[in-house]
Structures are given as structure tokens and as C-alpha cells.
Amino acid sequence: MYRPKSTVEQWRIFQAVVDYGGYAQAAEKLNKSQSSLNHAVAKLQQALGLSLLEVRGRKACLTPQGEVFLRRSRKLTQDVESLEHLADILSSGWEPVLRIVVEASLPRTPLYQALTAFRSQSRGCRIYLVETQPSGCQAVITQQAAHMVFASRAYPNMTSLPLATTVYVPVCAPDHPLATLSGVAHTELEQQLELVLADGNEQEEGWARGEQRWIIHHLHDALSLLRRGVGFAWLPLDVVSPLLNDGVLVRINMANQALRKRFTHLVLPGTTPPGPAASLLLSLIRKYYDEQSQQADLS
């Protein structure tokens, strides 16, 4: 087993001597005797077999080797400080990891905003963000394998917070046969290839479906195919609005403009209350979803 020749304290003293310009100045700042600092640096140099500092008058100057070791040693002491800080954080109950699962067909701009705001306050908490299908959400919730699940329905015996209502609109490419028609009936839609985003959308009660269907598991794939003129799809309005404004996609002019909607629920699968990191993220999530709902009401 490898045994270190040096200690973190020796490297800290070495850095202090350099930073404060000499042994006497460093001793005063560290509230240590000058002889103890001399001894620590001498032992460090002896253990390494290298000269790191040389005294010129009253000033301690770095040797070429010392310059290299100074840069490397700063990372070492910073890493040790980070480890010790992490121990303080975890001992306070702060979660080291938060696992978040999102149903594929749900828009998530407010979630991204919440995560952006959370980052500066995360205190080292890692985020695992996973996209899955409704069946995957159900499995995660049953197994309590995530801290938060964004799903299109609530689950019995689980804490579920209604977050948002999402409007879905029919869209296609500008060169698609449906793009130039007015007053399109549902029977006309059924004659065209439909890209159905995930199995949750496919099974949505009241959403009539034609026989020509491709089941697409990722929004990116659906948008890529639509741009190429392949089929049409019902997609979240807030997702496709920029593409509609830029003329990349067009909204199909339906005879019956009744809106299709889907709800976003935040499910908390755990049986214990959220910890401090999860509670902070939850408050940010609710904040940004509330703001989105208020903006939708104004529009």
C-alpha cells in the first residue's frame, strides 16, 4: 500500500510561506512559531528530495520545481477543503443526490428554470434527470426509485401536486398536404400518418386515432420527422410555438378547434418527507410552474 511522504498541513504551510512572502510573515498570519514552519517545509523538501524554496534575504522565493508543486498543491488543498465541506453538508441532512424522472410527452421548461436556479444553491447535490414513458414512470413510482416524478396523471396513495395544464395542437411541415387545408375534419386526419408521442398520448381517452400511426418515444425524433414532412402530430403548444413563428412548422386548421389538454403532476414516491435539498427544489419547481400558469392565463 502506498504511503504518502507528505501531509496536507505541510502543503498548506508551504503555500502560506509563498503567499505571505516569508516564514516570519506566514508564522504571524497562521499564529504559529517561525521555527515550526521552517521545520515543516524542511521535512517536506527532504521527503520529496527536492528544493521548493530558497531564502533570499528575508524573502522566501520559489525554485523552478517549487513553482510546479505550488500549482499542484493548491488543487490538493482545495479538494481536501471541499471534502470537509461536503461532510458538513451531509451531516446536516442535505441529500447528496436527487433523482428526477419525467414522462417523455410532457413539456418541461419550468423544470429547467427551477434546476437553473437550484444550481447556485445546490451545495454539491447531484441531479439525475431521466426521461421515460408512462409505464416507466409507474415502475419508478412503485419501486420508489426517484425523489420526484413528473407524470401525466396522479397516482393513488402517493403525494401528487398538480403543476400545469398543457395545450396540445396539431402541426405538420409547410409542404405537408394538411398544411394548406382549412377546416380539416378529424376524419381527414385519420387518413394521414400520425406521429404519436409516446404511449401515454396514444392511450389518452377521447383522442381519436387513425390506423396510420408511428409511436415516437422522444420529442426530438418527432420534431425531426415533422420537419422532413413525415406525418403530423399533436404537440405541446409552448414547445412548437417558436417553430410556428419561424415557419418551420404550421398549425393545422381544424374544423373543430376544441383544444386537447394534458396535465402535469409532480409525484413524490417516497414515504418520508423530502429532505432540505428536495424541499428547496420543490419550492423552485412550484414557483416556475405557477409563473407559467399565470402567463398562460394572461395570454
Side-chain angles (χ1 to χ4, degrees), residues 200-240:
N201 226 7
E202 182 188 14
Q203 302 299 331
E204 192 74 25
E205 188 174 332
W207 288 27
R209 298 295 182 190
E211 290 301 318
Q212 300 184 61
R213 288 176 291 171
W214 288 4
I215 310 303
I216 310 298
H217 282 250
H218 293 283
L219 179 61
H220 172 78
D221 294 331
L223 292 173
S224 296
L225 288 169
L226 287 172
R227 288 190 183 100
R228 289 165 172 77
V230 179
F232 76 96
W234 290 83
L235 295 179
L237 179 58
D238 64 333
V239 172
V240 298

Side-chain angles (χ1 to χ4, degrees), residues 13 26 35 41 58 90 107 164 175 177 186 215 232 255 289:
I13 290 173
S35 60
V41 174
R58 293 187 176 182
L90 297 184
D175 58 354
H186 283 286
I215 310 303
F232 76 96
Y289 273 92

Side-chain angles (χ1 to χ4, degrees), residues 249-294:
L249 297 178
V250 297
R251 183 169 174 174
I252 298 171
N253 189 315
M254 299 292 295
N256 180 359
Q257 292 292 347
L259 298 176
R260 292 181 176 180
K261 298 180 180 179
R262 167 162 293 173
F263 301 98
T264 297
H265 297 268
L266 177 57
V267 183
L268 307 179
T271 56
T272 57
S279 296
L280 171 60
L281 182 54
L282 280 171
S283 67
L284 292 169
I285 287 170
R286 299 191 74 165
K287 172 181 181 291
Y288 286 104
Y289 273 92
D290 286 345
E291 288 181 1
Q292 183 192 60
S293 297
Q294 291 169 8

Side-chain angles (χ1 to χ4, degrees), residues 2-298:
Y2 174 75
R3 293 186 178 182
K5 299 176 182 179
S6 58
T7 67
V8 175
E9 183 62 18
Q10 287 173 334
W11 288 113
R12 283 176 172 156
I13 290 173
F14 165 61
Q15 293 167 15
V17 172
V18 175
D19 293 340
Y20 298 119
Y23 288 94
Q25 299 92 321
E28 182 179 352
K29 294 290 184 179
L30 298 179
N31 196 25
K32 292 178 178 289
S33 68
Q34 183 174 341
S35 60
S36 66
L37 268 60
N38 274 285
H39 180 69
V41 174
K43 282 195 67 175
L44 177 61
Q45 295 181 124
Q46 182 181 9
L48 297 175
L50 293 171
S51 175
L52 305 178
L53 292 171
E54 55 185 15
V55 179
R56 299 173 189 169
R58 293 187 176 182
K59 186 173 179 61
C61 301
L62 283 168
T63 65
Q65 296 93 334
E67 291 180 359
V68 175
F69 276 90
L70 179 65
R71 291 193 299 270
R72 293 290 190 93
S73 68
R74 289 199 193 282
K75 184 178 186 308
L76 169 67
T77 53
Q78 288 169 2
D79 287 345
V80 171
E81 289 175 10
S82 297
L83 282 173
E84 294 171 351
H85 181 57
L86 178 60
D88 293 337
I89 290 173
L90 297 184
S91 64
S92 69
W94 193 268
E95 302 95 305
V97 173
L98 289 178
R99 292 178 173 83
I100 304 169
V101 174
V102 184
E103 189 173 310
S105 62
L106 297 177
R108 59 203 75 170
T109 298
L111 171 59
Y112 297 150
Q113 294 172 317
L115 289 171
T116 301
F118 177 75
R119 181 180 180 274
S120 62
Q121 307 173 63
S122 64
R123 302 170 69 183
C125 176
R126 285 187 175 182
I127 296 293
Y128 285 81
L129 182 60
V130 179
E131 180 184 273
T132 187
Q133 306 309 319
S135 57
C137 286
Q138 184 170 1
V140 168
I141 290 170
T142 301
Q143 299 166 13
Q144 298 184 15
H147 295 87
M148 306 174 195
V149 178
F150 289 76
S152 58
R153 69 179 182 88
Y155 285 79
N157 304 319
M158 292 287 175
T159 302
S160 296
L161 309 175
L163 289 180
T165 302
T166 302
V167 174
Y168 284 70
V169 295
V171 295
C172 63
D175 58 354
H176 190 277
L178 293 171
T180 56
L181 299 181
S182 297
V184 177
H186 283 286
T187 53
E188 292 178 272
L189 284 185
E190 292 172 8
Q191 299 171 18
Q192 299 288 336
L193 172 66
E194 180 178 2
L195 307 182
V196 180
L197 188 60
D199 56 357
N201 226 7
E202 182 188 14
Q203 302 299 331
E204 192 74 25
E205 188 174 332
W207 288 27
R209 298 295 182 190
E211 290 301 318
Q212 300 184 61
R213 288 176 291 171
W214 288 4
I215 310 303
I216 310 298
H217 282 250
H218 293 283
L219 179 61
H220 172 78
D221 294 331
L223 292 173
S224 296
L225 288 169
L226 287 172
R227 288 190 183 100
R228 289 165 172 77
V230 179
F232 76 96
W234 290 83
L235 295 179
L237 179 58
D238 64 333
V239 172
V240 298
S241 286
L243 301 175
L244 297 176
N245 294 336
D246 293 340
V248 177
L249 297 178
V250 297
R251 183 169 174 174
I252 298 171
N253 189 315
M254 299 292 295
N256 180 359
Q257 292 292 347
L259 298 176
R260 292 181 176 180
K261 298 180 180 179
R262 167 162 293 173
F263 301 98
T264 297
H265 297 268
L266 177 57
V267 183
L268 307 179
T271 56
T272 57
S279 296
L280 171 60
L281 182 54
L282 280 171
S283 67
L284 292 169
I285 287 170
R286 299 191 74 165
K287 172 181 181 291
Y288 286 104
Y289 273 92
D290 286 345
E291 288 181 1
Q292 183 192 60
S293 297
Q294 291 169 8
Q295 292 171 1
D297 292 340
L298 291 175

